[in-house]
Each structure stands twice: as structure tokens, then as C-alpha cells.
């Protein structure tokens, strides 16, 4: 089998600057994923539980209530999975359920002081260091860097699911 010759960079031909920036983004994403795994493990949670806690805290900071339905939709998980997740996070003391003030069948979720203490203890130093890195970007470049990252996020959010690969001609099929 013959493999076609490849440019220096798989996707970007020899566009060195473009490839360097996107390789740096990939390195950041790998580091971010690793940090999230380590942080979740350190808090004796899985990554979905950690993301749920992040969502509830984020919504609280913006004055928005969170219901189990909001959480399920944001995490793209079933009602049953959401119930199990909430059972774990309430048992660990990270979240509390409260009766909805106007919908007697509804429930609202709140993070606990314990959750905030643990998040701060584990992430405060890292966030301070990240802010130092961001502050080192020249002031005139900061809006451009932020716009670049938002645009990249938009591309990833808008991308449709990839179709399954098709077998090479003559390859056996399952």
C-alpha cells in the first residue's frame, strides 16, 4: 500500500504561522482536558459532575436559577442520568436541591459553601497564573486574541457531526 506524500502540516499545507497557532490551540486543549480530569479526580468526581458544578456556579454568578432540566440540556444527558448526577453531588455536599418557589413540582439547584471552598482551593492558583499570562499579552492585541478564540469556539460549536468513514475501495466491510 502506498501512502501519499504529506506536507509538513497535515491540514494546512505549509502555512507555517497558521499551523503554529492551531497546534498551540491543540496543545492548550489537551492541557485543559488533562487539568479537568485531574481536578475532577481530586474532588472525587467524574468530569460530568465537575462540569455540572461549573454550570450551576456559573449560572448563580449571573443570577440565573438552575433546574435539573437546564442541567440535563446543557450536559446533553438523560433525566435518569441527571438524577444520578444530582444524587452524587448532593451526597458529596456540593449541591443542594430546593423546591421551586412558584412551581410546586419544580426543583432548583444551588451550590454549597463547601463546593465554593473546594473549587477555590483547587483552582485559585491556576486561575491567577492564567490571568498573569493573559495580562502579558500586549494591551492592543488582547481584543484580537479574544476575538480569535471566540471565532474558533464558534467554528467548533457550528461544526456538524462527522459522517462515518467509508472503507477504501476493495476493503472488506463489516
Amino acid at each position: 500500500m502506498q501512502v501519499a506524500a504529506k506536507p509538513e502540516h497535515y491540514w494546512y499545507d505549509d502555512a507555517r504561522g497558521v499551523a503554529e497557532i492551531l497546534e498551540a490551540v491543540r496543545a492548550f486543549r489537551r492541557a485543559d482536558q488533562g487539568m479537568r480530569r485531574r481536578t475532577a479526580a481530586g474532588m472525587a468526581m467524574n468530569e460530568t459532575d465537575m462540569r455540572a458544578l461549573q454550570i450551576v456556579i456559573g449560572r448563580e454568578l449571573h443570577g440565573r436559577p438552575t433546574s435539573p432540566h437546564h442541567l440535563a440540556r446543557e450536559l446533553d444527558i438523560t433525566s435518569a442520568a441527571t438524577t444520578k448526577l444530582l444524587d452524587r453531588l448532593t451526597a458529596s455536599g456540593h449541591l443542594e436541591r430546593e423546591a421551586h418557589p412558584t412551581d410546586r413540582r419544580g426543583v432548583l439547584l444551588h451550590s454549597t459553601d463547601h463546593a465554593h471552598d473546594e473549587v477555590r482551593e483547587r483552582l485559585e492558583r491556576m486561575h491567577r497564573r492564567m490571568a498573569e499570562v493573559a495580562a502579558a499579552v500586549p494591551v492592543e492585541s488582547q481584543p484580537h486574541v479574544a476575538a480569535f478564540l471566540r471565532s474558533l469556539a464558534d467554528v467548533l460549536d457550528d461544526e456538524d457531526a462527522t459522517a462515518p468513514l467509508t472503507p477504501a475501495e476493495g476493503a472488506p466491510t463489516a
Side-chain angles (χ1 to χ4, degrees):
M1 171 173 37
Q2 187 175 16
V3 177
K6 295 179 185 170
E8 182 180 346
H9 302 284
Y10 190 86
W11 296 112
Y12 312 107
D13 298 322
D14 289 325
R16 187 170 214 69
V18 169
E20 188 174 345
I21 288 170
L22 294 174
E23 286 170 1
V25 168
R26 278 194 291 280
F28 168 78
R29 290 179 64 210
R30 282 191 299 273
D32 182 63
Q33 289 168 345
M35 177 276 304
R36 290 179 188 284
R37 278 191 300 275
R38 291 187 306 275
T39 301
M43 292 175 71
M45 327 181 155
N46 65 44
E47 291 178 61
T48 304
D49 292 4
M50 185 68 167
R51 178 77 178 114
L53 186 58
Q54 178 186 24
I55 291 167
V56 172
I57 290 173
R59 289 177 62 91
E60 286 175 340
L61 292 174
H62 290 95
R64 296 180 0 217
T66 305
S67 70
H69 175 73
H70 288 119
L71 208 52
R73 188 175 59 229
E74 185 78 20
L75 295 171
D76 194 25
I77 60 176
T78 65
S79 295
T82 303
T83 299
K84 287 182 179 183
L85 177 146
L86 293 176
D87 289 346
R88 287 190 303 272
L89 290 175
T90 54
S92 67
H94 291 96
L95 288 183
E96 294 174 340
R97 292 174 169 120
E98 172 192 352
H100 192 286
T102 58
D103 177 359
R104 66 177 201 208
R105 294 179 300 158
V107 172
L108 294 179
L109 307 170
H110 299 285
S111 58
T112 64
D113 290 341
H114 168 68
H116 286 276
D117 291 344
E118 195 167 11
V119 166
R120 281 191 190 99
E121 177 184 320
R122 295 182 183 284
L123 300 177
E124 187 171 36
R125 178 176 172 268
M126 181 197 64
H127 279 278
R128 185 177 59 253
R129 291 178 63 207
M130 288 171 56
E132 290 168 0
V133 170
V137 173
V139 172
E140 63 277 4
S141 297
Q142 290 175 1
H144 302 290
V145 172
F148 162 74
L149 292 171
R150 284 190 193 99
S151 294
L152 210 52
D154 289 344
V155 167
L156 296 177
D157 284 341
D158 288 344
E159 191 60 28
D160 291 334
T162 305
L165 295 176
T166 56
E169 197 172 307
T173 59

